[in-house]
Amino acid sequence: MNSYRCEWRGPIQAKSGLGTASRGYVRALRRHGVAVSAGGRTGAAPKKQAGSHTVLICHTQPHRVQVEKEKKRYARVILNTVWETTRTPDRWKLNMNRFDAIFVPSRQNREALRSSGVKVPIYIVPHGVNTGEYRPDHPKMQVPGAGGRFVFVSVFGFQHRKNPEGLLRAYWEEFSERDQVLLIIKTNGYSPSENEAWIRSQIRRYKQQLGITKRTAPVLVIGRRLSPEQLKGLYTLGNVFVLPTRGEGVGLPFLEAMASGTPVIATGWGGHMDFLNSGNSFLVNYKLQQPGVSMGSRHAISRRFRSSFANSGQRWAEADLRSLRLQMRTAFENPGLCRRKGIQARQDASKLSWDRSGAMMKRAIELTLRQTKRQGLKRRSPTRP
């Protein structure tokens, strides 16, 4: 049994990617013999008395943690976080170097934090995927009109970083009603008013704005919550998963699609490039640019989150639409290639378990405990004459 225990503060109950990650990490740590109590959001009072052998892990953004206050109650205070551009938001910077260590899920995240001036130890602790739940033989979701068509599936929140306008424009310009294809977008807004009807109206207005009057290949928008079984069936319904994202810390839908045996079309930059490659995916060319450029464009149709993504020095990837169109066309015309890439994707995803993530996080926790202790001993040791 370990000589320490952990308290986890994060969105453990949330029905979001962060919630999935919180639950995945906590369960994996427990399977590796770490005693973990899972509290609520950061700032909430702990359920158990903290002590000299308790490590606090905050799965949140750094500016939401009172680090110095928490250090008086816990042996170590660790930040577990994620970011999607080349630099973190300005409001993060004051707190970042107060933590004993920071855990991030990808190399892109580590580079972003170092570029933002982080000096404390940074450990890569990747996300995992449950290949027992997401699997190629899961029954396909029943969708009217999908039969006999090549199905593109995309799963994302309806925000500018996910580049919904790039996906739609490439699809409309590349495929006509004569092509036996279907694009299914599973998405959600970020307020009660951003419901399915609102999202469909934004898409309809964007098509009109582009001056597209001809009949195009069909798009189905699902803006409501799906059950876990329906979501798994949506991945297996797809011949390919497509998302020309501008930036991902990880990209859980990519992992879920891969585990489902569905190959991915994705922008070739971001945290997802730790596990996507030309053998399991179709990669889209890109250029790095400041987020404000596309946010100020007439093509922006979804929530922007400017306060997070329009800070000085930040850049993210802008997918090349010609490259995206080419990869979508290549996938459509080569179903055998899609199947081969899907088989490889499933094999690669099988190596990315949450147990692996838990083992890596446990090791990082113990390195943090030992490293900080050594630093303390060094500071207290007498100076040699």
Side-chain angles (χ1 to χ4, degrees):
M1 182 61 66
N2 300 299
S3 60
Y4 63 91
R5 57 177 297 274
C6 292
E7 181 178 318
W8 187 278
R9 298 240 200 109
I12 200 75
Q13 302 295 334
K15 296 178 179 179
S16 63
L18 284 175
T20 298
S22 264
R23 291 187 293 275
Y25 282 129
V26 168
R27 290 166 181 166
L29 283 173
R30 287 171 177 168
R31 286 194 295 270
H32 284 283
V34 179
V36 185
S37 60
R41 60 180 175 81
T42 299
K47 294 182 178 180
K48 296 183 179 180
Q49 182 64 38
S52 59
H53 298 290
T54 305
V55 175
L56 175 63
I57 302 177
C58 300
H59 190 192
T60 187
Q61 297 179 349
H63 63 285
R64 296 176 176 171
V65 184
Q66 298 180 40
V67 184
E68 297 305 322
K69 179 181 177 181
E70 301 293 7
K71 280 188 171 183
K72 295 177 182 178
R73 303 168 59 218
Y74 294 92
R76 305 288 182 268
V77 180
I78 297 171
L79 175 70
N80 185 57
T81 198
V82 61
W83 194 245
E84 297 93 0
T85 68
T86 57
R87 291 190 181 182
T88 62
D90 293 337
R91 65 177 180 270
W92 283 29
K93 295 179 181 179
L94 181 63
N95 244 11
M96 296 289 274
N97 286 309
R98 294 174 176 170
F99 292 91
D100 292 302
I102 300 176
F103 297 168
V104 295
S106 65
R107 289 176 295 176
Q108 181 270 333
N109 273 205
R110 182 174 61 189
E111 292 167 6
L113 266 61
R114 289 296 183 216
S115 297
S116 303
V118 173
K119 305 298 183 184
V120 300
I122 301 174
Y123 298 98
I124 295 179
V125 182
H127 288 186
V129 64
N130 188 332
T131 54
E133 292 186 2
Y134 294 93
R135 60 185 194 276
D137 62 350
H138 191 281
K140 297 179 180 181
M141 183 177 174
Q142 297 299 307
V143 174
R149 292 182 180 271
F150 184 97
V151 179
F152 294 93
V153 167
S154 196
V155 177
F156 59 89
F158 200 66
Q159 61 165 299
H160 188 71
R161 176 171 59 85
K162 302 292 185 174
N163 198 11
E165 67 275 14
L167 171 60
L168 289 162
R169 186 177 172 187
Y171 179 76
W172 285 330
E173 292 180 356
E174 184 61 33
F175 300 105
S176 73
E177 62 177 330
R178 295 187 299 274
D179 295 304
Q180 290 299 301
V181 297
L182 171 65
L183 171 62
I184 303 177
I185 295 176
K186 165 62 186 80
T187 189
N188 61 271
Y190 294 89
S191 72
S193 63
E194 295 178 359
N195 54 24
E196 184 174 276
W198 178 82
I199 293 170
R200 286 179 174 172
S201 70
Q202 291 293 98
I203 292 173
R204 186 167 54 251
R205 281 198 293 268
Y206 182 54
K207 190 174 185 180
Q208 294 170 349
Q209 177 186 319
L210 291 174
I212 298 175
T213 56
K214 66 178 182 178
R215 294 189 64 179
T216 58
V219 177
L220 172 63
V221 176
I222 303 174
R224 63 188 184 279
R225 184 172 295 280
L226 297 180
S227 70
E229 296 306 301
Q230 287 176 314
L231 182 60
K232 295 167 194 172
L234 181 59
Y235 284 121
T236 54
L237 174 65
N239 296 94
V240 68
F241 180 94
V242 55
L243 183 61
T245 178
R246 294 183 164 100
E248 299 291 329
V250 180
L252 276 175
F254 291 138
L255 283 170
E256 292 167 351
M258 289 174 64
S260 304
T262 304
V264 166
I265 300 175
T267 314
W269 181 87
H272 51 283
M273 291 307 295
D274 281 6
F275 50 83
L276 294 187
N277 56 61
S278 59
N280 59 32
S281 309
F282 300 87
L283 299 178
V284 176
N285 296 334
Y286 66 93
K287 64 179 179 180
L288 290 178
Q289 70 176 28
Q290 296 177 351
V293 174
S294 58
M295 286 182 179
S297 165
R298 67 186 181 92
H299 296 284
I301 62 172
S302 53
R303 187 176 285 246
R304 292 167 177 80
F305 293 107
R306 283 184 179 273
S307 63
S308 295
F309 297 116
N311 294 195
S312 62
Q314 288 182 321
R315 293 189 299 166
W316 61 17
E318 197 66 34
D320 182 280
L321 292 190
R322 288 176 297 180
S323 177
L324 175 57
R325 289 176 60 177
L326 175 61
Q327 297 291 34
M328 294 177 78
R329 174 62 66 174
T330 299
F332 169 56
E333 292 184 349
N334 296 274
L337 177 61
C338 282
R339 286 192 292 271
R340 290 193 296 275
K341 285 182 180 284
I343 291 170
Q344 186 63 55
R346 170 68 181 183
Q347 292 175 353
D348 293 344
S350 68
K351 304 171 186 175
L352 307 175
S353 69
W354 279 111
D355 274 350
R356 167 178 172 264
S357 304
M360 294 175 73
M361 181 170 280
K362 179 183 178 182
R363 184 161 54 250
I365 292 169
E366 293 171 357
L367 284 170
T368 302
L369 286 165
R370 290 198 296 270
Q371 182 66 28
T372 311
K373 183 178 180 180
R374 283 198 297 269
Q375 290 172 346
L377 288 173
K378 184 177 180 180
R379 286 194 297 268
R380 289 194 297 273
S381 62
T383 303
R384 291 183 179 272

